[in-house]
Amino acid sequence: MATIALAATDGMLHFEFAMACEVFARDPSGLADPWYDLVVCGPGPVAIGRFRVEPDDGLDWLAHADTVIVPAVADIDADVPPELLDAVRAAHQAGARLVSLCTGAFVLAAAGVLDGLRATTHWAHTEELAARHPRVRVDPDVLYVDNGTVLASAGKAAAVDLCLHLIRRDHGSTVANAVARRLVVPPHRAGGQAQFVTTPVPARDDHPLADLLPWVMARLNRPLTVEDLARQANMSSRNLARHFVAATGTTPLQWLSTQRIRRAQELLENTDRSIDAIARAAGMGTATTLRRHFNRTVGVPPETYRRTFRSA
């Protein structure tokens, strides 16, 4: 998926457009070679937010790209330019991976490429997307959806999550985490996490979880339980669960399991350790336990995941 076409037409929003440029135009991690070749495609000079953008190529170039990204549109009631719809359909027929950011889902839906698939968009517009396109299975409660070759994110910051998810798919967790550090954003928020979370991550030093999360990350190899976390945070298990849901959108046990899987992924990508050793380092205990959780979360066994990234 080395070549990315970023669609650009009048009326798109500059945040998602600029964010895609920042993430994919160059490798902020310095770890991936080759990186993506980003091509901005449009019908001519276009107005995106308050900025004027001159595309690198025309919209017909979308059909030649490996991945096509459609940023958010400012007015979901405005007609989608016919040439953009034709270009998206042509790219889909050519086998491109299609990605919508925020309200860009309305473009993919209008092109018919979301029919029968799960999709999401900004939480404020999910009902409208479902009403206009009843053949699309709109999920209003997730950050992003990955159907394999068609992906869609919720609003604003969720678009960053989906872009990092793409990097993780293409280049692995180590590169995605390095890019996240350069962007100063959380390295991973699962696509199934709730959209409308008041405080996505602990943002203050005095947040009840501010000290706990780094403490846990430094001890993933240990058989930590929710009770251990609650004891370290000096609160009851019930209060811990409440703070976790408010801060991360998930439960302590789900968050801990996700971090263990991410640690296992990094070790599979970057070391020659045995599956048993990785299971112990990730706090899973045994290879059997790691395989069960890894296969359920990632979709493939640890051995297959390692071979995929070693061959890449």
Side-chain angles (χ1 to χ4, degrees):
M1 297 297 175
T3 306
I4 295 180
L6 179 59
T9 59
D10 287 329
M12 287 183 170
L13 292 172
H14 63 273
F15 176 85
E16 290 80 3
F17 180 87
M19 184 273 300
C21 289
E22 177 68 20
V23 172
F24 296 112
R26 64 184 183 88
D27 175 14
S29 73
L31 298 176
D33 185 20
W35 190 242
Y36 303 99
D37 181 16
L38 180 71
V39 180
V40 176
C41 301
V46 295
I48 294 183
R50 300 184 64 179
F51 305 98
R52 180 180 176 85
V53 174
E54 296 198 8
D56 303 309
D57 218 314
L59 287 171
D60 57 350
W61 202 88
L62 268 62
H64 302 285
D66 299 308
T67 298
V68 172
I69 297 178
V70 179
V73 295
D75 185 0
I76 62 172
D77 294 321
D79 292 334
V80 180
E83 60 268 31
L84 177 57
L85 293 177
D86 291 341
V88 168
R89 294 185 185 112
H92 184 57
Q93 292 171 1
R97 178 172 64 182
L98 303 181
V99 180
S100 66
L101 305 180
C102 192
T103 50
F106 283 85
V107 176
L108 297 192
V113 300
L114 288 179
D115 288 354
L117 299 178
R118 288 178 65 232
T120 194
T121 186
H122 192 290
W123 61 267
H125 302 298
T126 51
E127 289 187 6
E128 184 63 26
L129 181 64
R132 289 190 197 177
H133 303 282
R135 298 183 64 183
V136 180
R137 294 156 49 201
V138 179
D139 191 337
D141 298 319
V142 295
L143 292 177
Y144 56 85
V145 171
D146 184 347
N147 295 293
T149 57
V150 183
L151 303 89
S153 85
K156 302 305 177 185
V160 181
D161 294 310
L162 179 52
C163 289
L164 290 174
H165 173 71
L166 291 173
I167 295 173
R168 187 173 290 105
R169 272 184 47 173
D170 297 342
H171 295 287
S173 296
T174 300
V175 174
N177 291 345
V179 172
R181 284 194 294 271
R182 286 293 299 272
L183 296 175
V184 199
V185 296
H188 178 76
R189 291 198 295 168
Q193 181 173 319
Q195 274 198 48
F196 194 54
V197 180
T198 306
T199 310
V201 294
R204 309 184 316 271
D205 291 340
D206 61 348
H207 190 282
L209 302 184
D211 293 329
L212 178 64
L213 301 190
W215 182 87
V216 174
M217 295 301 294
R219 294 165 176 79
L220 283 178
N221 61 319
R222 302 183 185 181
L224 297 173
T225 65
V226 174
E227 289 72 23
D228 293 329
L229 272 61
R231 191 178 306 112
Q232 177 64 25
N234 196 28
M235 63 179 70
S236 68
S237 297
R238 178 175 295 182
N239 279 340
L240 178 71
R242 179 171 56 82
H243 285 299
F244 252 92
V245 171
T248 71
T250 189
T251 66
L253 188 60
Q254 290 171 329
W255 181 86
L256 183 59
S257 178
T258 297
Q259 304 317 308
R260 294 193 192 282
I261 294 297
R262 297 300 163 222
R263 177 65 54 82
Q265 285 181 301
E266 291 188 358
L267 293 173
L268 288 166
E269 294 168 18
N270 299 304
T271 75
D272 293 317
R273 295 189 196 181
S274 67
I275 303 301
D276 279 303
I278 290 176
R280 291 192 297 271
M284 291 289 189
T286 67
T288 300
T289 301
L290 173 61
R291 288 189 179 98
R292 182 172 67 252
H293 288 281
F294 197 95
N295 203 2
R296 183 174 61 193
T297 302
V298 182
V300 296
E303 295 86 350
T304 302
Y305 184 86
R306 169 176 271 170
R307 285 196 299 270
T308 299
F309 279 96
R310 289 298 170 86
S311 63

